[in-house]
Every structure is written in C-alpha cells, then in structure tokens.
Amino acid sequence: MINQLTEVYIKWCDENNLPNISADEHNRDQLTYEQKTFLNNFIEMWDYQQEVDLFIYDNLKKKKARNKWK
C-alpha cells in the first residue's frame, strides 16, 4: 500500500507543479487551500498505513518465532 500511496503522491506533485519532496516539507504558506487539504489527508493516510504495515510485520515476525519453537 505504501508503494501505491507513493505513486499517487508523485502524480499529484507533478499535476500541481510541486517538487517531489516529503509531504511534510512543503511550504504551506505557498499552497492553495485544496493543496493543503490534500497534503494533510495524505500525511494522515501515510501514517495510518505505516502503523498497519508495522502491525502486520510484527505479527508475522511473532508467528515465525512461535513456529520456530514447535
């Protein structure tokens, strides 16, 4: 999912003539309301997806450790 979010973000930057920098590094004073809204929502989705990915990774790691001791 992170790869898909990255693709969406790169396309959005291109369409808005913005540099492809980290979403939280954009100078919000130079952005439109719509651009700020997109970035805020994008950052929220990115953070959520990282939490999901970490949860999945941790649980797979625990499952492998349990299976190792069986």
Short mmCIF file of all heavy atoms in Angstrom, two decimals, residues 2-25:
data_model
loop_
_atom_site.label_atom_id
_atom_site.label_comp_id
_atom_site.label_asym_id
_atom_site.label_seq_id
_atom_site.Cartn_x
_atom_site.Cartn_y
_atom_site.Cartn_z
N ILE A 2 2.00 1.24 0.70
CA ILE A 2 2.88 2.41 0.72
C ILE A 2 3.34 2.73 -0.71
O ILE A 2 3.39 3.91 -1.09
CB ILE A 2 4.09 2.18 1.66
CG1 ILE A 2 3.65 2.20 3.13
CG2 ILE A 2 5.18 3.22 1.42
CD1 ILE A 2 3.20 3.54 3.67
N ASN A 3 3.63 1.72 -1.50
CA ASN A 3 4.04 1.95 -2.89
C ASN A 3 2.94 2.65 -3.68
O ASN A 3 3.22 3.54 -4.48
CB ASN A 3 4.42 0.64 -3.57
CG ASN A 3 5.70 0.06 -3.04
OD1 ASN A 3 6.51 0.76 -2.44
ND2 ASN A 3 5.88 -1.21 -3.24
N GLN A 4 1.70 2.26 -3.45
CA GLN A 4 0.58 2.90 -4.14
C GLN A 4 0.40 4.34 -3.69
O GLN A 4 0.14 5.23 -4.51
CB GLN A 4 -0.70 2.10 -3.92
CG GLN A 4 -0.64 0.75 -4.59
CD GLN A 4 -1.63 -0.23 -4.01
OE1 GLN A 4 -1.91 -0.23 -2.82
NE2 GLN A 4 -2.16 -1.11 -4.85
N LEU A 5 0.56 4.58 -2.40
CA LEU A 5 0.47 5.95 -1.90
C LEU A 5 1.59 6.81 -2.50
O LEU A 5 1.37 7.97 -2.85
CB LEU A 5 0.54 5.98 -0.37
CG LEU A 5 -0.69 5.49 0.36
CD1 LEU A 5 -0.42 5.44 1.87
CD2 LEU A 5 -1.88 6.38 0.09
N THR A 6 2.76 6.24 -2.63
CA THR A 6 3.89 6.96 -3.22
C THR A 6 3.57 7.35 -4.66
O THR A 6 3.82 8.49 -5.08
CB THR A 6 5.17 6.11 -3.15
OG1 THR A 6 5.45 5.81 -1.79
CG2 THR A 6 6.34 6.83 -3.78
N GLU A 7 3.01 6.42 -5.42
CA GLU A 7 2.64 6.71 -6.81
C GLU A 7 1.61 7.84 -6.89
O GLU A 7 1.73 8.73 -7.74
CB GLU A 7 2.11 5.45 -7.48
CG GLU A 7 3.16 4.40 -7.73
CD GLU A 7 2.58 3.11 -8.29
OE1 GLU A 7 1.44 3.12 -8.81
OE2 GLU A 7 3.28 2.08 -8.21
N VAL A 8 0.61 7.79 -6.04
CA VAL A 8 -0.42 8.84 -6.00
C VAL A 8 0.22 10.19 -5.69
O VAL A 8 -0.07 11.20 -6.33
CB VAL A 8 -1.52 8.50 -4.96
CG1 VAL A 8 -2.41 9.70 -4.69
CG2 VAL A 8 -2.32 7.31 -5.43
N TYR A 9 1.11 10.20 -4.72
CA TYR A 9 1.75 11.44 -4.30
C TYR A 9 2.63 12.03 -5.40
O TYR A 9 2.57 13.25 -5.67
CB TYR A 9 2.56 11.21 -3.02
CG TYR A 9 3.28 12.44 -2.56
CD1 TYR A 9 2.58 13.51 -2.03
CD2 TYR A 9 4.67 12.54 -2.66
CE1 TYR A 9 3.23 14.65 -1.62
CE2 TYR A 9 5.33 13.67 -2.24
CZ TYR A 9 4.61 14.73 -1.72
OH TYR A 9 5.25 15.86 -1.31
N ILE A 10 3.41 11.20 -6.06
CA ILE A 10 4.27 11.68 -7.14
C ILE A 10 3.43 12.28 -8.26
O ILE A 10 3.73 13.36 -8.78
CB ILE A 10 5.18 10.54 -7.66
CG1 ILE A 10 6.22 10.18 -6.60
CG2 ILE A 10 5.84 10.93 -8.98
CD1 ILE A 10 7.01 8.92 -6.90
N LYS A 11 2.36 11.59 -8.61
CA LYS A 11 1.46 12.09 -9.67
C LYS A 11 0.84 13.42 -9.25
O LYS A 11 0.76 14.36 -10.05
CB LYS A 11 0.38 11.06 -9.97
CG LYS A 11 -0.54 11.45 -11.09
CD LYS A 11 -1.55 10.37 -11.41
CE LYS A 11 -2.47 10.83 -12.52
NZ LYS A 11 -3.49 9.84 -12.81
N TRP A 12 0.41 13.51 -8.00
CA TRP A 12 -0.19 14.75 -7.50
C TRP A 12 0.82 15.89 -7.55
O TRP A 12 0.48 17.01 -7.97
CB TRP A 12 -0.72 14.54 -6.08
CG TRP A 12 -1.33 15.77 -5.51
CD1 TRP A 12 -2.61 16.22 -5.71
CD2 TRP A 12 -0.70 16.72 -4.64
NE1 TRP A 12 -2.80 17.40 -5.02
CE2 TRP A 12 -1.64 17.72 -4.36
CE3 TRP A 12 0.57 16.81 -4.08
CZ2 TRP A 12 -1.35 18.81 -3.54
CZ3 TRP A 12 0.86 17.89 -3.27
CH2 TRP A 12 -0.09 18.88 -3.01
N CYS A 13 2.05 15.64 -7.13
CA CYS A 13 3.09 16.68 -7.18
C CYS A 13 3.28 17.15 -8.62
O CYS A 13 3.36 18.36 -8.88
CB CYS A 13 4.41 16.16 -6.61
SG CYS A 13 4.46 16.03 -4.82
N ASP A 14 3.38 16.22 -9.55
CA ASP A 14 3.56 16.57 -10.96
C ASP A 14 2.40 17.42 -11.47
O ASP A 14 2.60 18.44 -12.12
CB ASP A 14 3.70 15.32 -11.81
CG ASP A 14 5.01 14.58 -11.60
OD1 ASP A 14 5.95 15.17 -10.99
OD2 ASP A 14 5.10 13.40 -12.01
N GLU A 15 1.18 16.99 -11.15
CA GLU A 15 -0.01 17.70 -11.63
C GLU A 15 -0.13 19.10 -11.01
O GLU A 15 -0.76 19.98 -11.59
CB GLU A 15 -1.27 16.90 -11.31
CG GLU A 15 -1.40 15.64 -12.14
CD GLU A 15 -2.56 14.76 -11.71
OE1 GLU A 15 -3.20 15.05 -10.67
OE2 GLU A 15 -2.80 13.76 -12.41
N ASN A 16 0.47 19.30 -9.84
CA ASN A 16 0.39 20.59 -9.16
C ASN A 16 1.68 21.40 -9.27
O ASN A 16 1.83 22.42 -8.61
CB ASN A 16 0.04 20.36 -7.68
CG ASN A 16 -1.40 20.00 -7.50
OD1 ASN A 16 -2.25 20.88 -7.37
ND2 ASN A 16 -1.71 18.71 -7.50
N ASN A 17 2.59 20.94 -10.14
CA ASN A 17 3.87 21.63 -10.35
C ASN A 17 4.60 21.89 -9.04
O ASN A 17 5.13 22.98 -8.81
CB ASN A 17 3.66 22.94 -11.12
CG ASN A 17 3.19 22.70 -12.52
OD1 ASN A 17 3.63 21.76 -13.17
ND2 ASN A 17 2.28 23.52 -12.99
N LEU A 18 4.59 20.88 -8.19
CA LEU A 18 5.27 20.98 -6.90
C LEU A 18 6.45 20.02 -6.87
O LEU A 18 6.42 18.98 -7.53
CB LEU A 18 4.30 20.64 -5.76
CG LEU A 18 3.15 21.62 -5.57
CD1 LEU A 18 2.13 21.06 -4.59
CD2 LEU A 18 3.67 22.96 -5.08
N PRO A 19 7.48 20.38 -6.12
CA PRO A 19 8.63 19.48 -6.04
C PRO A 19 8.25 18.17 -5.35
O PRO A 19 7.39 18.15 -4.46
CB PRO A 19 9.65 20.26 -5.21
CG PRO A 19 8.85 21.26 -4.45
CD PRO A 19 7.64 21.56 -5.28
N ASN A 20 8.88 17.10 -5.78
CA ASN A 20 8.63 15.79 -5.20
C ASN A 20 9.50 15.63 -3.94
O ASN A 20 10.49 14.92 -3.95
CB ASN A 20 8.92 14.71 -6.22
CG ASN A 20 8.56 13.34 -5.72
OD1 ASN A 20 8.00 13.19 -4.64
ND2 ASN A 20 8.88 12.34 -6.49
N ILE A 21 9.10 16.34 -2.90
CA ILE A 21 9.78 16.26 -1.61
C ILE A 21 8.82 15.62 -0.62
O ILE A 21 7.65 15.42 -0.93
CB ILE A 21 10.22 17.67 -1.12
CG1 ILE A 21 9.02 18.61 -1.01
CG2 ILE A 21 11.29 18.23 -2.04
CD1 ILE A 21 9.34 19.99 -0.47
N SER A 22 9.32 15.33 0.54
CA SER A 22 8.45 14.74 1.57
C SER A 22 7.22 15.64 1.78
O SER A 22 7.34 16.87 1.79
CB SER A 22 9.23 14.59 2.87
OG SER A 22 8.41 14.06 3.88
N ALA A 23 6.08 15.02 1.94
CA ALA A 23 4.83 15.77 2.06
C ALA A 23 4.86 16.79 3.20
O ALA A 23 4.27 17.87 3.09
CB ALA A 23 3.65 14.82 2.25
N ASP A 24 5.56 16.47 4.25
CA ASP A 24 5.60 17.40 5.39
C ASP A 24 6.64 18.51 5.22
O ASP A 24 6.76 19.38 6.07
CB ASP A 24 5.81 16.65 6.70
CG ASP A 24 7.09 15.85 6.74
OD1 ASP A 24 7.78 15.75 5.70
OD2 ASP A 24 7.41 15.31 7.81
N GLU A 25 7.38 18.52 4.11
CA GLU A 25 8.39 19.54 3.87
C GLU A 25 7.90 20.68 2.98
O GLU A 25 8.61 21.67 2.80
CB GLU A 25 9.63 18.92 3.24
CG GLU A 25 10.38 18.00 4.17
CD GLU A 25 11.59 17.36 3.51
OE1 GLU A 25 11.82 17.57 2.31
OE2 GLU A 25 12.31 16.64 4.23
#
